Amino acid sequence: MTVVQYPRQFKIPVWMLNRRKDFTTGKNSHAYSNTLDTAIRDDLERLKKIRSHRGLRHYWGLKVRGQHTKSNGRGLGRH
């Protein structure tokens, strides 16, 4: 569990961390458990607040990463 909490002390490269150059702090870190859920929720709320393309797609419940939507993904809540 110590490796997950402090990955840089164990020579884990920066590219393996899941919070590289965090928007609010500007630091590289590795979030896990509730911290990760909160960070993702905050990121999505920020995107929605600034009305970016990704934020609007999340708000509308559409595909975000450029997938085709003409025939796939017609069910609600599948993204």
Side-chain angles (χ1 to χ4, degrees):
M1 192 67 180
T2 307
V3 177
V4 174
Q5 291 175 346
Y6 306 106
R8 296 298 294 153
Q9 292 178 354
F10 292 91
K11 307 270 193 259
I12 304 294
V14 174
W15 60 267
M16 289 186 78
L17 304 178
N18 61 7
R19 300 292 297 170
R20 291 185 304 260
K21 188 110 180 224
D22 189 24
F23 183 78
T24 54
T25 62
K27 297 181 179 179
N28 298 318
S29 64
H30 192 73
Y32 55 93
S33 183
N34 295 336
T35 312
L36 182 60
D37 295 338
T38 304
I40 291 173
R41 189 179 322 109
D42 291 344
D43 290 344
L44 292 178
E45 289 301 321
R46 181 180 58 85
L47 289 173
K48 291 175 192 176
K49 182 180 176 186
I50 64 174
R51 311 271 302 166
S52 70
H53 180 72
R54 278 182 57 203
L56 291 174
R57 302 285 292 187
H58 275 291
Y59 179 74
W60 294 327
L62 298 173
K63 303 279 184 180
V64 176
R65 297 186 175 184
Q67 297 96 328
H68 292 260
T69 57
K70 182 176 181 179
S71 61
N72 290 331
R74 295 187 183 224
L76 295 175
R78 293 186 198 164
H79 52 279

